[in-house]
Amino acid sequence: MLKGCWHRYTNMVTHNVFTGHVSAVASWTYCFNGTGQGTQQVIWQDGKSCTNPVTAQFNPNGTLTIQDSIPCGQVPRTPRSLFLGRSVCTRLSATQASCPRIDLTGPYAGQSFPGMFRR
């Protein structure tokens, strides 16, 4: 079920908390192996990108938790980056999931941002 890639298709913008600049995201992808190890890759419309390792595990209630291992773009630092985050996904169908992302660090720590994923 988990192996392969999922593509975020909603809430495809990021906000620079220092400048207020809004950047459109062209592609936001999570790819996993069969044991829950994977990567998150974000590519913005201007071609800048960040990639970071993530892990995923199924929860007893049937949801899936995706956890950033390091903040996307922070090591090495890139012109665009994301704060450390976690998503808890609820499967909607064989090809769709609702995966709100919660910032774990930064000025919006604890805030949830909606996101829909598809295969």
Side-chain angles (χ1 to χ4, degrees), residues 44-76:
W44 284 269
Q45 292 287 349
D46 63 5
K48 292 182 173 75
S49 67
C50 72
T51 302
N52 69 312
V54 295
T55 57
Q57 69 178 35
F58 287 99
N59 303 312
N61 65 359
T63 61
L64 174 77
T65 297
I66 302 170
Q67 176 78 42
D68 295 347
S69 298
I70 60 170
C72 193
Q74 299 290 313
V75 181

Side-chain angles (χ1 to χ4, degrees), residues 17-93:
V17 298
F18 304 108
T19 67
H21 180 66
V22 176
S23 300
V25 174
S27 173
W28 196 331
T29 306
Y30 289 85
C31 295
F32 299 97
N33 64 20
T35 64
Q37 302 302 309
T39 58
Q40 168 184 223
Q41 182 180 46
V42 180
I43 303 172
W44 284 269
Q45 292 287 349
D46 63 5
K48 292 182 173 75
S49 67
C50 72
T51 302
N52 69 312
V54 295
T55 57
Q57 69 178 35
F58 287 99
N59 303 312
N61 65 359
T63 61
L64 174 77
T65 297
I66 302 170
Q67 176 78 42
D68 295 347
S69 298
I70 60 170
C72 193
Q74 299 290 313
V75 181
R77 191 157 184 76
T78 62
R80 299 264 196 296
S81 60
L82 300 175
F83 289 106
L84 194 63
R86 176 183 340 128
S87 296
V88 178
C89 302
T90 303
R91 183 177 171 183
L92 303 176
S93 72

